[in-house]
Amino acid sequence: MAVVPRRICLSEEFVLQLHGARDPTATKTRSYYNTVQKLQIAVGEFRGKYAFLNWFKYTLGADQLTAFGEQQMINSGIVFYNRYKALAKQRTPFIRASGQDRVVESARNFSQGFHQAKTADRTPDENYPYSILVIHEGEGYNNTLDHGLCTEFEDPVAYSSISSEVQQTFLATFLPSVIDRLNRDIPSANLTALDIVNLFDLCPFTTVASLSGAVSPFCFLFSLDEWKHYNYYQSLGKYYGYGAGNPLGPTQGVGYVNELIARLTGEAVSDHTTVNHTLDDSNDTFPLGEALYVDISHDNDMTSIFSALGLYNSTGSLSNTSIQSPDAAGGYSAAWTVPFAGRAYFEKMACAGVDEELVRIVVNNRVVPIQRCGADGLGRCTLAKFVQSMDFAIAGGRWDMCFAPK
């Protein structure tokens, strides 16, 4: 676990937080329901590890936080307060959320947790409930917490199909044997590749549908080796969909990185990509000099932001034919970077005996040494060298490729 180094005077702390656990998307929940229905209609009686399907009822909704996800975000607020208590005790965080309901609700739950920890610390909190700046989502809107402005990136023919093509190639390396095994176990089921992926997906979604997070019986349908392949399949989707494996993936995170630079340096935002300057040019909606900042976003957008920061620049192109462990992939894994309620802490600190302020990034309790800025043994760079290393974002990434003439 990454702890705050001793003998440190923390001056500013930021958290970029993924919303809590949710139900599947509307499209996915219909597909999952169809797979369950197909099984239950085709099979008279399930036995062994499949027996739970005899009485299982599909009750998952679509897109909204689960009760488990709400608690995750409350816990995140508590953890943030306790980790940075020296700053948080006398301060209120400035909070932004992208406009989707589950993201806004996650921000409220985070606030509740922060407030709960503060009052438990016997500290008055007259500013609660805290203000939350909600940034609208939608086509054509500038929003650093939600992609959608770069038309070439959003075009399914141009760039957004790259990840699905890579994933399909990888599925062919392991899924046929899984299909054969389950169809031998359940002879009348006639399960397809889509059905098998849906059954994999139902493990996490039905787990987080439980308030306690009780492990779902769907999880026991597959072996440990099969789960390792599925985990890598998900990593490929993020890496080639929104990360460095997509030529325009990191560019979607450039606007947020430029906002981070502004907050760290106390200077106005300089950006021509996704920044909403109506908001960011106002001290009311983008204040500088605050000690605590909280931003709530989506997993895809956080993947792009991490890539724009260059956090996983040592990760080579992920293979689409064989598994690479997170260690072999330079610390990259979707499970390590963007699990439900995943978070990144950006720490600005002043240390005794060091003339310059330092910057450190912690992703889900793992210190990720910042590339190209001479990070020390604790993963910290000087603020000046950190800013210099952000030349990709400062230059706007590949924003010029976003609006190719038709």
Side-chain angles (χ1 to χ4, degrees):
M1 178 178 178
V3 298
V4 178
R6 293 182 180 180
R7 300 174 64 188
I8 293 278
C9 178
L10 298 166
S11 55
E12 291 182 15
E13 305 309 324
F14 320 99
V15 59
L16 173 62
Q17 173 88 48
L18 174 58
H19 58 72
R22 60 166 173 82
D23 288 324
T25 63
T27 300
K28 290 286 189 179
T29 206
R30 286 192 293 270
S31 184
Y32 299 159
Y33 173 80
N34 290 338
T35 290
V36 171
Q37 284 290 100
K38 172 183 175 178
L39 271 168
Q40 292 179 326
I41 290 171
V43 180
E45 182 181 5
F46 295 95
R47 297 181 179 180
K49 61 185 176 184
Y50 305 96
F52 74 95
L53 288 166
N54 288 316
W55 58 83
F56 177 79
K57 291 185 178 180
Y58 189 90
T59 59
L60 300 180
D63 291 307
Q64 299 303 307
L65 282 186
T66 65
F68 181 83
E70 292 174 357
Q71 188 60 53
Q72 281 184 305
M73 295 305 298
I74 292 171
N75 293 344
S76 290
I78 293 171
V79 168
F80 185 67
Y81 177 86
N82 288 328
R83 180 179 175 88
Y84 302 115
K85 186 183 297 188
L87 288 174
K89 193 174 180 71
Q90 303 301 329
R91 294 175 175 87
T92 299
F94 180 80
I95 304 173
R96 301 188 304 174
S98 198
Q100 197 159 12
D101 287 348
R102 65 174 178 266
V103 182
V104 177
E105 187 60 32
S106 289
R108 294 193 184 106
N109 295 139
F110 183 100
S111 299
Q112 180 183 340
F114 186 95
H115 169 69
Q116 180 179 322
K118 195 168 190 176
T119 53
D121 198 27
R122 298 181 180 180
T123 302
D125 196 14
E126 297 175 356
N127 292 325
Y128 185 80
Y130 314 135
S131 296
I132 298 171
L133 177 65
V134 178
I135 305 176
H136 184 78
E137 295 186 6
E139 184 178 348
Y141 282 89
N142 289 53
N143 184 344
T144 58
L145 301 175
D146 179 67
H147 69 91
L149 197 60
C150 175
T151 55
E152 282 295 293
F153 180 74
E154 304 298 331
D155 186 343
V157 177
Y159 292 99
S160 64
S161 64
I162 294 174
S163 63
S164 60
E165 293 170 1
V166 172
Q167 285 184 302
Q168 289 304 310
T169 298
F170 181 70
L171 281 179
T173 69
F174 83 97
L175 204 63
S177 63
V178 184
I179 297 172
D180 290 345
R181 180 176 66 77
L182 264 71
N183 278 327
R184 286 196 306 271
D185 289 352
I186 319 172
S188 58
N190 194 28
L191 294 167
T192 66
L194 175 61
D195 292 325
I196 299 298
V197 172
N198 284 350
L199 291 173
F200 271 114
D201 289 352
L202 280 166
C203 162
F205 280 116
T206 51
T207 293
V208 301
S210 162
L211 179 58
S212 65
V215 178
S216 167
F218 281 102
C219 303
F220 300 103
L221 301 184
F222 304 101
S223 70
L224 177 59
D225 184 67
E226 289 165 349
W227 277 115
K228 288 179 179 178
H229 281 78
Y230 171 82
N231 178 63
Y232 188 68
Y233 163 80
Q234 295 294 344
S235 292
L236 290 174
K238 296 302 179 193
Y239 179 82
Y240 285 100
Y242 300 90
N246 188 304
L248 283 177
T251 296
Q252 309 315 303
V254 159
Y256 186 87
V257 175
N258 286 328
E259 289 182 327
L260 177 63
I261 292 170
R263 286 171 167 176
L264 288 168
T265 61
E267 299 176 359
V269 180
S270 177
D271 179 81
H272 63 274
T273 65
T274 59
V275 162
N276 184 325
H277 280 283
T278 301
L279 297 176
D280 285 15
D281 291 350
S282 168
N283 193 59
D284 292 332
T285 47
F286 194 81
L288 300 175
E290 297 290 326
L292 301 172
Y293 295 94
V294 178
D295 292 320
I296 315 293
S297 184
H298 301 274
D299 53 353
N300 295 335
D301 301 282
M302 288 176 62
T303 299
S304 292
I305 290 166
F306 293 159
S307 298
L309 285 163
L311 294 188
Y312 302 99
N313 279 356
S314 62
T315 301
S317 296
L318 296 183
S319 170
N320 62 358
T321 57
S322 61
I323 293 177
Q324 291 175 249
S325 70
D327 288 333
Y332 181 78
S333 163
W336 283 23
T337 54
V338 287
F340 283 137
R343 55 187 176 262
Y345 294 136
F346 304 99
E347 301 176 337
K348 180 181 176 183
M349 55 185 73
C351 303
V354 179
D355 293 334
E356 298 182 71
E357 289 179 305
L358 302 174
V359 177
R360 187 173 78 155
I361 299 176
V362 181
V363 179
N364 298 315
N365 291 333
R366 293 182 178 90
V367 175
V368 182
I370 306 165
Q371 305 289 319
R372 300 192 303 112
C373 65
D376 65 13
L378 294 175
R380 306 169 303 179
C381 296
T382 65
L383 175 56
K385 288 185 177 179
F386 170 79
V387 173
Q388 290 173 6
S389 73
M390 294 296 111
D391 53 345
F392 175 80
I394 291 170
R398 295 174 172 170
W399 196 249
D400 60 314
M401 295 171 57
C402 282
F403 307 101
K406 302 297 183 184

